Short mmCIF file of all heavy atoms in Angstrom, two decimals:
data_model
loop_
_atom_site.label_atom_id
_atom_site.label_comp_id
_atom_site.label_asym_id
_atom_site.label_seq_id
_atom_site.Cartn_x
_atom_site.Cartn_y
_atom_site.Cartn_z
N TYR A 1 0.83 -1.20 0.00
CA TYR A 1 0.00 0.00 0.00
C TYR A 1 0.87 1.26 0.00
O TYR A 1 2.07 1.22 0.30
CB TYR A 1 -0.91 0.01 1.23
CG TYR A 1 -1.91 -1.13 1.25
CD1 TYR A 1 -1.80 -2.18 2.16
CD2 TYR A 1 -2.98 -1.14 0.36
CE1 TYR A 1 -2.73 -3.21 2.19
CE2 TYR A 1 -3.92 -2.17 0.38
CZ TYR A 1 -3.78 -3.21 1.29
OH TYR A 1 -4.69 -4.23 1.31
N HIS A 2 0.26 2.39 -0.31
CA HIS A 2 0.93 3.70 -0.34
C HIS A 2 2.21 3.62 -1.18
O HIS A 2 3.24 4.21 -0.84
CB HIS A 2 1.29 4.16 1.10
CG HIS A 2 0.11 4.23 2.01
ND1 HIS A 2 -0.89 5.16 1.86
CD2 HIS A 2 -0.24 3.46 3.09
CE1 HIS A 2 -1.80 4.99 2.81
NE2 HIS A 2 -1.43 3.97 3.56
N THR A 3 2.11 2.91 -2.29
CA THR A 3 3.29 2.67 -3.12
C THR A 3 3.14 3.30 -4.50
O THR A 3 2.14 3.08 -5.19
CB THR A 3 3.56 1.17 -3.26
OG1 THR A 3 3.76 0.61 -1.95
CG2 THR A 3 4.79 0.91 -4.10
N GLU A 4 4.14 4.07 -4.90
CA GLU A 4 4.14 4.70 -6.21
C GLU A 4 5.34 4.23 -7.02
O GLU A 4 6.40 3.91 -6.46
CB GLU A 4 4.20 6.23 -6.07
CG GLU A 4 3.02 6.81 -5.31
CD GLU A 4 3.16 8.31 -5.12
OE1 GLU A 4 4.18 8.87 -5.57
OE2 GLU A 4 2.26 8.92 -4.51
N ILE A 5 5.17 4.19 -8.33
CA ILE A 5 6.25 3.79 -9.22
C ILE A 5 7.00 5.06 -9.63
O ILE A 5 6.41 6.01 -10.13
CB ILE A 5 5.71 3.09 -10.49
CG1 ILE A 5 4.72 1.99 -10.12
CG2 ILE A 5 6.87 2.55 -11.32
CD1 ILE A 5 5.28 0.91 -9.26
N LYS A 6 8.31 5.06 -9.42
CA LYS A 6 9.12 6.24 -9.76
C LYS A 6 9.95 6.04 -11.04
O LYS A 6 10.21 6.99 -11.77
CB LYS A 6 10.07 6.59 -8.60
CG LYS A 6 9.37 6.84 -7.28
CD LYS A 6 8.32 7.93 -7.40
CE LYS A 6 8.88 9.29 -7.72
NZ LYS A 6 7.83 10.34 -7.79
N ARG A 7 10.34 4.79 -11.31
CA ARG A 7 11.19 4.55 -12.47
C ARG A 7 11.25 3.06 -12.80
O ARG A 7 11.20 2.22 -11.90
CB ARG A 7 12.62 5.07 -12.19
CG ARG A 7 13.62 4.83 -13.32
CD ARG A 7 15.01 5.29 -12.90
NE ARG A 7 15.07 6.73 -12.70
CZ ARG A 7 15.31 7.62 -13.67
NH1 ARG A 7 15.52 7.20 -14.91
NH2 ARG A 7 15.35 8.90 -13.39
N PHE A 8 11.32 2.76 -14.10
CA PHE A 8 11.59 1.39 -14.55
C PHE A 8 13.05 1.34 -15.00
O PHE A 8 13.50 2.22 -15.74
CB PHE A 8 10.68 1.01 -15.72
CG PHE A 8 9.23 0.90 -15.34
CD1 PHE A 8 8.34 1.93 -15.64
CD2 PHE A 8 8.74 -0.22 -14.70
CE1 PHE A 8 7.01 1.85 -15.30
CE2 PHE A 8 7.40 -0.32 -14.35
CZ PHE A 8 6.54 0.72 -14.65
N ARG A 9 13.74 0.31 -14.56
CA ARG A 9 15.16 0.21 -14.89
C ARG A 9 15.45 -1.05 -15.70
O ARG A 9 14.86 -2.10 -15.47
CB ARG A 9 16.00 0.23 -13.61
CG ARG A 9 16.01 1.60 -12.94
CD ARG A 9 16.75 1.60 -11.64
NE ARG A 9 16.91 2.97 -11.13
CZ ARG A 9 17.22 3.27 -9.89
NH1 ARG A 9 17.44 2.31 -9.01
NH2 ARG A 9 17.34 4.54 -9.51
N GLY A 10 16.35 -0.88 -16.62
CA GLY A 10 16.72 -1.99 -17.49
C GLY A 10 17.19 -1.47 -18.83
O GLY A 10 16.80 -0.38 -19.25
N ASP A 11 18.01 -2.25 -19.51
CA ASP A 11 18.52 -1.85 -20.82
C ASP A 11 17.64 -2.45 -21.91
O ASP A 11 16.71 -1.83 -22.40
CB ASP A 11 19.97 -2.29 -20.96
CG ASP A 11 20.60 -1.81 -22.25
OD1 ASP A 11 19.99 -0.95 -22.93
OD2 ASP A 11 21.69 -2.29 -22.60
N LYS A 12 17.92 -3.69 -22.26
CA LYS A 12 17.12 -4.35 -23.29
C LYS A 12 15.83 -4.94 -22.71
O LYS A 12 14.86 -5.13 -23.43
CB LYS A 12 17.94 -5.45 -23.96
CG LYS A 12 19.11 -4.91 -24.76
CD LYS A 12 19.86 -6.04 -25.46
CE LYS A 12 21.03 -5.47 -26.27
NZ LYS A 12 21.77 -6.56 -26.96
N ARG A 13 15.85 -5.25 -21.42
CA ARG A 13 14.65 -5.78 -20.75
C ARG A 13 14.57 -5.18 -19.35
O ARG A 13 15.55 -4.69 -18.80
CB ARG A 13 14.70 -7.31 -20.64
CG ARG A 13 14.53 -8.03 -21.97
CD ARG A 13 14.18 -9.48 -21.73
NE ARG A 13 12.90 -9.62 -21.03
CZ ARG A 13 11.72 -9.58 -21.64
NH1 ARG A 13 11.64 -9.42 -22.93
NH2 ARG A 13 10.61 -9.70 -20.93
N LEU A 14 13.36 -5.24 -18.78
CA LEU A 14 13.14 -4.74 -17.43
C LEU A 14 13.96 -5.55 -16.43
O LEU A 14 13.98 -6.78 -16.48
CB LEU A 14 11.65 -4.84 -17.07
CG LEU A 14 11.29 -4.44 -15.64
CD1 LEU A 14 11.39 -2.93 -15.48
CD2 LEU A 14 9.89 -4.93 -15.29
N GLU A 15 14.65 -4.84 -15.53
CA GLU A 15 15.45 -5.51 -14.51
C GLU A 15 14.89 -5.24 -13.11
O GLU A 15 14.85 -6.13 -12.27
CB GLU A 15 16.90 -5.04 -14.59
CG GLU A 15 17.57 -5.43 -15.91
CD GLU A 15 18.95 -4.83 -16.04
OE1 GLU A 15 19.40 -4.14 -15.08
OE2 GLU A 15 19.59 -5.04 -17.08
N SER A 16 14.44 -4.01 -12.88
CA SER A 16 13.91 -3.67 -11.56
C SER A 16 13.03 -2.43 -11.65
O SER A 16 13.00 -1.75 -12.67
CB SER A 16 15.05 -3.42 -10.56
OG SER A 16 15.79 -2.27 -10.94
N VAL A 17 12.33 -2.17 -10.55
CA VAL A 17 11.44 -1.01 -10.48
C VAL A 17 11.78 -0.23 -9.21
O VAL A 17 11.95 -0.81 -8.14
CB VAL A 17 9.95 -1.45 -10.42
CG1 VAL A 17 9.04 -0.24 -10.42
CG2 VAL A 17 9.63 -2.37 -11.58
N LEU A 18 11.86 1.10 -9.36
CA LEU A 18 12.10 1.94 -8.20
C LEU A 18 10.74 2.33 -7.62
O LEU A 18 9.94 3.00 -8.28
CB LEU A 18 12.89 3.19 -8.58
CG LEU A 18 13.22 4.14 -7.43
CD1 LEU A 18 14.13 3.46 -6.40
CD2 LEU A 18 13.88 5.42 -7.94
N LEU A 19 10.48 1.92 -6.37
CA LEU A 19 9.22 2.21 -5.69
C LEU A 19 9.43 3.23 -4.59
O LEU A 19 10.51 3.31 -4.00
CB LEU A 19 8.65 0.92 -5.07
CG LEU A 19 8.47 -0.29 -5.99
CD1 LEU A 19 7.95 -1.48 -5.18
CD2 LEU A 19 7.52 0.04 -7.12
N ARG A 20 8.39 4.01 -4.33
CA ARG A 20 8.46 4.97 -3.23
C ARG A 20 7.23 4.84 -2.35
O ARG A 20 6.10 4.81 -2.84
CB ARG A 20 8.55 6.40 -3.74
CG ARG A 20 8.54 7.46 -2.63
CD ARG A 20 8.87 8.83 -3.18
NE ARG A 20 10.24 8.86 -3.70
CZ ARG A 20 10.75 9.88 -4.40
NH1 ARG A 20 10.00 10.96 -4.62
NH2 ARG A 20 11.99 9.84 -4.83
N ASN A 21 7.46 4.76 -1.04
CA ASN A 21 6.37 4.74 -0.08
C ASN A 21 5.95 6.18 0.19
O ASN A 21 6.74 6.99 0.68
CB ASN A 21 6.81 4.06 1.22
CG ASN A 21 5.66 3.90 2.19
OD1 ASN A 21 5.11 4.87 2.70
ND2 ASN A 21 5.30 2.65 2.47
N SER A 22 4.70 6.50 -0.17
CA SER A 22 4.23 7.89 -0.07
C SER A 22 4.08 8.35 1.38
O SER A 22 4.02 9.56 1.63
CB SER A 22 2.90 8.05 -0.80
OG SER A 22 1.92 7.18 -0.26
N GLU A 23 4.01 7.42 2.34
CA GLU A 23 3.90 7.80 3.75
C GLU A 23 5.26 8.10 4.35
O GLU A 23 5.43 9.08 5.08
CB GLU A 23 3.22 6.67 4.53
CG GLU A 23 1.72 6.59 4.33
CD GLU A 23 1.06 5.68 5.35
OE1 GLU A 23 1.65 4.63 5.68
OE2 GLU A 23 -0.05 6.01 5.81
N THR A 24 6.23 7.26 4.05
CA THR A 24 7.57 7.43 4.64
C THR A 24 8.52 8.21 3.74
O THR A 24 9.53 8.74 4.21
CB THR A 24 8.20 6.06 4.94
OG1 THR A 24 8.42 5.37 3.69
CG2 THR A 24 7.29 5.23 5.81
N GLY A 25 8.20 8.26 2.45
CA GLY A 25 9.09 8.93 1.49
C GLY A 25 10.31 8.11 1.12
O GLY A 25 11.18 8.57 0.39
N LYS A 26 10.38 6.87 1.61
CA LYS A 26 11.54 6.02 1.33
C LYS A 26 11.39 5.31 -0.01
O LYS A 26 10.30 4.89 -0.39
CB LYS A 26 11.72 4.99 2.45
CG LYS A 26 12.13 5.61 3.78
CD LYS A 26 12.38 4.53 4.82
CE LYS A 26 12.85 5.13 6.14
NZ LYS A 26 13.10 4.08 7.17
N ASP A 27 12.53 5.17 -0.72
CA ASP A 27 12.57 4.47 -2.00
C ASP A 27 13.05 3.04 -1.80
O ASP A 27 13.80 2.73 -0.86
CB ASP A 27 13.50 5.18 -2.98
CG ASP A 27 12.94 6.53 -3.43
OD1 ASP A 27 11.72 6.75 -3.23
OD2 ASP A 27 13.70 7.34 -3.96
N GLN A 28 12.60 2.17 -2.71
CA GLN A 28 12.97 0.76 -2.63
C GLN A 28 13.19 0.23 -4.04
O GLN A 28 12.41 0.46 -4.94
CB GLN A 28 11.86 -0.03 -1.94
CG GLN A 28 12.05 -1.53 -1.98
CD GLN A 28 10.84 -2.29 -1.47
OE1 GLN A 28 9.88 -1.69 -0.98
NE2 GLN A 28 10.85 -3.60 -1.59
N GLU A 29 14.28 -0.48 -4.24
CA GLU A 29 14.55 -1.14 -5.52
C GLU A 29 13.86 -2.50 -5.48
O GLU A 29 14.15 -3.33 -4.61
CB GLU A 29 16.05 -1.33 -5.72
CG GLU A 29 16.45 -1.71 -7.13
CD GLU A 29 16.47 -0.51 -8.07
OE1 GLU A 29 16.46 0.64 -7.58
OE2 GLU A 29 16.49 -0.72 -9.28
N PHE A 30 12.95 -2.73 -6.41
CA PHE A 30 12.14 -3.95 -6.40
C PHE A 30 12.48 -4.78 -7.64
O PHE A 30 12.25 -4.37 -8.77
CB PHE A 30 10.65 -3.59 -6.41
CG PHE A 30 9.72 -4.74 -6.18
CD1 PHE A 30 9.38 -5.14 -4.90
CD2 PHE A 30 9.18 -5.43 -7.26
CE1 PHE A 30 8.52 -6.21 -4.69
CE2 PHE A 30 8.32 -6.49 -7.07
CZ PHE A 30 7.98 -6.89 -5.77
N LYS A 31 13.04 -5.96 -7.41
CA LYS A 31 13.38 -6.87 -8.50
C LYS A 31 12.13 -7.66 -8.90
O LYS A 31 11.42 -8.19 -8.04
CB LYS A 31 14.47 -7.85 -8.06
CG LYS A 31 15.81 -7.20 -7.73
CD LYS A 31 16.56 -6.81 -8.99
CE LYS A 31 17.95 -6.31 -8.67
NZ LYS A 31 18.71 -5.97 -9.88
N THR A 32 11.87 -7.73 -10.18
CA THR A 32 10.68 -8.45 -10.65
C THR A 32 10.89 -8.97 -12.06
O THR A 32 11.65 -8.39 -12.85
CB THR A 32 9.44 -7.55 -10.61
OG1 THR A 32 8.29 -8.28 -11.02
CG2 THR A 32 9.61 -6.34 -11.52
N GLY A 33 10.20 -10.04 -12.38
CA GLY A 33 10.30 -10.61 -13.73
C GLY A 33 9.55 -9.78 -14.74
O GLY A 33 9.91 -9.74 -15.93
N GLY A 34 8.48 -9.11 -14.31
CA GLY A 34 7.68 -8.32 -15.23
C GLY A 34 6.68 -7.47 -14.47
O GLY A 34 6.34 -7.76 -13.32
N VAL A 35 6.21 -6.39 -15.12
CA VAL A 35 5.24 -5.48 -14.51
C VAL A 35 4.01 -5.39 -15.40
O VAL A 35 4.13 -5.24 -16.63
CB VAL A 35 5.84 -4.07 -14.32
CG1 VAL A 35 4.78 -3.11 -13.80
CG2 VAL A 35 7.02 -4.12 -13.37
N PHE A 36 2.84 -5.49 -14.79
CA PHE A 36 1.58 -5.34 -15.51
C PHE A 36 0.84 -4.14 -14.93
O PHE A 36 0.57 -4.09 -13.73
CB PHE A 36 0.75 -6.61 -15.38
CG PHE A 36 1.27 -7.76 -16.21
CD1 PHE A 36 2.35 -8.50 -15.76
CD2 PHE A 36 0.70 -8.06 -17.43
CE1 PHE A 36 2.86 -9.55 -16.53
CE2 PHE A 36 1.19 -9.11 -18.20
CZ PHE A 36 2.28 -9.85 -17.75
N ILE A 37 0.53 -3.17 -15.79
CA ILE A 37 -0.06 -1.91 -15.35
C ILE A 37 -1.55 -1.89 -15.69
O ILE A 37 -1.93 -2.03 -16.86
CB ILE A 37 0.65 -0.71 -16.01
CG1 ILE A 37 2.15 -0.75 -15.67
CG2 ILE A 37 0.03 0.61 -15.58
CD1 ILE A 37 2.98 0.25 -16.46
N PHE A 38 -2.38 -1.70 -14.68
CA PHE A 38 -3.84 -1.65 -14.87
C PHE A 38 -4.42 -0.45 -14.13
O PHE A 38 -4.95 -0.56 -13.03
CB PHE A 38 -4.49 -2.94 -14.36
CG PHE A 38 -3.93 -4.18 -14.98
CD1 PHE A 38 -3.16 -5.05 -14.23
CD2 PHE A 38 -4.16 -4.47 -16.32
CE1 PHE A 38 -2.64 -6.20 -14.80
CE2 PHE A 38 -3.63 -5.61 -16.89
CZ PHE A 38 -2.87 -6.49 -16.15
N ILE A 39 -4.27 0.72 -14.75
CA ILE A 39 -4.78 1.95 -14.13
C ILE A 39 -5.85 2.61 -14.99
O ILE A 39 -6.19 3.78 -14.80
CB ILE A 39 -3.63 2.93 -13.85
CG1 ILE A 39 -2.86 3.26 -15.14
CG2 ILE A 39 -2.69 2.37 -12.80
CD1 ILE A 39 -1.81 4.34 -14.96
N GLY A 40 -6.37 1.85 -15.94
CA GLY A 40 -7.47 2.37 -16.75
C GLY A 40 -7.21 2.29 -18.24
O GLY A 40 -6.09 2.01 -18.69
N LEU A 41 -8.26 2.53 -18.99
CA LEU A 41 -8.22 2.43 -20.45
C LEU A 41 -9.00 3.60 -21.03
O LEU A 41 -10.12 3.88 -20.61
CB LEU A 41 -8.87 1.10 -20.88
CG LEU A 41 -8.60 0.55 -22.26
CD1 LEU A 41 -7.12 0.18 -22.41
CD2 LEU A 41 -9.46 -0.68 -22.50
N ASP A 42 -8.41 4.28 -21.99
CA ASP A 42 -9.06 5.43 -22.61
C ASP A 42 -9.31 5.15 -24.09
O ASP A 42 -8.35 4.87 -24.84
CB ASP A 42 -8.21 6.69 -22.48
CG ASP A 42 -8.07 7.15 -21.04
OD1 ASP A 42 -9.09 7.11 -20.32
OD2 ASP A 42 -6.96 7.54 -20.65
N PRO A 43 -10.58 5.24 -24.55
CA PRO A 43 -10.85 5.04 -25.97
C PRO A 43 -10.32 6.22 -26.78
O PRO A 43 -10.33 7.36 -26.31
CB PRO A 43 -12.38 4.97 -26.03
CG PRO A 43 -12.82 5.78 -24.85
CD PRO A 43 -11.79 5.54 -23.78
N ASN A 44 -9.85 5.95 -27.98
CA ASN A 44 -9.32 7.00 -28.84
C ASN A 44 -10.46 7.64 -29.62
O ASN A 44 -10.61 7.46 -30.84
CB ASN A 44 -8.26 6.42 -29.78
CG ASN A 44 -7.10 5.81 -29.03
OD1 ASN A 44 -6.62 6.37 -28.05
ND2 ASN A 44 -6.65 4.64 -29.46
N THR A 45 -11.28 8.40 -28.90
CA THR A 45 -12.49 8.98 -29.50
C THR A 45 -12.60 10.49 -29.31
O THR A 45 -13.67 11.05 -29.53
CB THR A 45 -13.75 8.32 -28.91
OG1 THR A 45 -13.72 8.46 -27.47
CG2 THR A 45 -13.84 6.85 -29.26
N GLN A 46 -11.51 11.14 -28.95
CA GLN A 46 -11.58 12.58 -28.74
C GLN A 46 -12.08 13.30 -30.00
O GLN A 46 -12.81 14.29 -29.91
CB GLN A 46 -10.20 13.14 -28.34
CG GLN A 46 -9.71 12.70 -26.97
CD GLN A 46 -9.14 11.29 -26.95
OE1 GLN A 46 -9.02 10.66 -28.00
NE2 GLN A 46 -8.79 10.81 -25.78
#
């Protein structure tokens, strides 16, 4: 919880994600095989 994504790191492929705790302000390097982002979908109908 209270976690924000600050940066994706990697050259040819994703290696880690820089996370920040919005309550403490502390950053954390998070190693992961992959990231899936689900924050909404916008139709291209403007």
Side-chain angles (χ1 to χ4, degrees):
Y1 296 109
H2 303 292
T3 301
E4 300 177 359
I5 311 300
K6 303 304 295 182
R7 178 184 295 274
F8 293 101
R9 289 176 172 163
D11 184 12
K12 294 183 180 180
R13 290 197 63 83
L14 176 73
E15 296 174 2
S16 65
V17 183
L18 181 64
L19 306 178
R20 176 170 296 171
N21 185 294
S22 58
E23 284 193 321
T24 65
K26 292 184 177 180
D27 291 343
Q28 172 188 354
E29 193 79 15
F30 190 86
K31 296 284 186 178
T32 182
V35 175
F36 287 79
I37 302 171
F38 304 110
I39 57 174
L41 198 65
D42 293 319
N44 300 318
T45 56
Q46 292 79 5

